[in-house]
Amino acid sequence: MKGKAYANKRPKKLLSDLRASDLYETPKSIWWEFLKTDEMNDIKTILEPSCGFMATSKVFEEKGFDVTSRDLMYGNDFLNDEYEENSYDCVLTNPPFSLFDKFVTRAKRIAAKKVVMIGKTNFLGAYSRYKNNLFNECSAIYVLNRQVDYQFPVQDNGDVGVGCLVSCVYVWTKGYKGEPVVRFLNMQPYCKLGSYDKWIRNHPEYTKPDSFVYNGKTCTQQELIKGVYNED
């Protein structure tokens, strides 16, 4: 038996099985529900380092936050670009799950007040994350009360489909000591799209972007992750 949890040490060959672009957009309704909490009350500036097509950025901009949007597909390398420590009140994103630990570690250095990341709930079950203090200062975990499927394109009305992934919004607060508080975000009112397989059959016009330009070269985001972050 292997001593490491599968979720924490994924066999390298599985990288080739990632979705074509490794780009999963975040339903607006997750952030609408999150903004009903008091987590962002003292936040003014946000860095969104994995913004994709700006779905998350637009939600927070519409609420009056000053959002800086960056993404690898626009030539921004969050893990290697230079940022001053404590240069944004908050770093907030739905990161590539294969790079979750690296994104959290990097974000903690950049955020002055909070780090907010969507992730899998089973990330809590990897001992190495505790050993490496990844969850130090984790103040709250907001579990989605439905298993949201992130394969769907973003719907303006916030509707989502339901799949098999249990996910949550993790919050780290600078200076926080103690165990995180677990709360729930109510996604039930938005679960109207059904399964992804059925939805995609009924929407043949939908095509997902599968290529991006980075440093003058056309490639998939999967190739960017392999090439830039040496995740091969």
Side-chain angles (χ1 to χ4, degrees):
M1 293 181 63
K2 296 183 178 180
K4 296 283 187 179
Y6 174 81
N8 183 53
K9 190 171 180 62
R10 173 178 42 81
K12 292 182 178 180
K13 67 179 181 179
L14 290 185
L15 189 61
S16 62
D17 295 332
L18 286 174
R19 193 178 185 185
S21 67
D22 199 27
L23 173 63
Y24 294 82
E25 299 179 88
T26 308
K28 295 179 179 181
S29 48
I30 292 178
W31 298 125
W32 293 341
E33 291 300 308
F34 179 71
L35 283 167
K36 292 178 181 179
T37 73
D38 62 0
E39 294 288 354
M40 303 297 285
N41 286 0
D42 63 342
I43 301 299
K44 294 182 179 179
T45 60
I46 296 173
L47 172 64
E48 216 295 30
S50 188
C51 65
F53 297 110
M54 309 292 182
T56 293
S57 298
K58 290 177 181 177
V59 169
F60 286 87
E61 287 172 349
E62 290 170 357
K63 295 296 183 179
F65 294 91
D66 180 2
V67 183
T68 299
S69 301
R70 298 285 185 266
D71 197 285
L72 193 61
M73 70 187 195
Y74 302 130
N76 312 119
D77 180 355
F78 176 63
L79 298 185
N80 293 307
D81 287 347
E82 291 187 8
Y83 289 94
E84 293 184 8
E85 291 190 6
N86 303 318
S87 53
Y88 294 88
D89 291 343
C90 178
V91 177
L92 178 149
T93 194
N94 181 1
F97 286 173
S98 60
L99 298 171
F100 181 81
D101 293 22
K102 293 180 179 179
F103 264 65
V104 171
T105 301
R106 179 76 165 132
K108 282 182 171 184
R109 299 192 186 103
I110 298 169
K113 295 181 179 180
K114 289 181 185 285
V115 172
V116 179
M117 299 263 180
I118 290 177
K120 301 177 184 179
T121 54
N122 68 3
F123 285 161
L124 292 166
Y127 174 71
S128 65
R129 294 190 174 99
Y130 292 91
K131 183 179 179 181
N132 296 329
N133 298 319
L134 191 76
F135 289 110
N136 280 12
E137 299 185 323
C138 183
S139 55
I141 300 171
Y142 291 87
V143 181
L144 277 56
N145 68 354
R146 292 299 305 269
Q147 293 165 297
V148 171
D149 191 334
Y150 294 91
Q151 296 183 86
F152 288 85
V154 170
Q155 307 294 307
D156 287 338
N157 62 3
D159 285 352
V160 301
V162 178
C164 300
L165 177 69
V166 181
S167 58
C168 60
V169 179
Y170 292 96
V171 179
W172 288 262
T173 301
K174 285 291 183 73
Y176 179 83
K177 296 181 180 179
E179 300 296 325
V181 175
V182 178
R183 298 188 174 96
F184 292 88
L185 300 181
N186 184 20
M187 299 304 298
Q188 178 61 34
Y190 308 100
C191 293
K192 300 176 182 179
L193 301 184
S195 71
Y196 181 73
D197 288 343
K198 181 177 180 180
W199 184 91
I200 204 69
R201 285 197 301 270
N202 293 331
H203 295 80
E205 75 284 358
Y206 172 65
T207 57
K208 182 171 176 58
D210 59 4
S211 65
F212 309 93
V213 177
Y214 181 72
N215 286 343
K217 298 180 180 180
T218 299
C219 52
T220 66
Q221 191 162 337
Q222 173 190 342
E223 290 169 337
L224 293 183
I225 291 173
K226 291 174 67 176
V228 177
Y229 297 141
N230 297 314
E231 292 288 313
D232 55 6

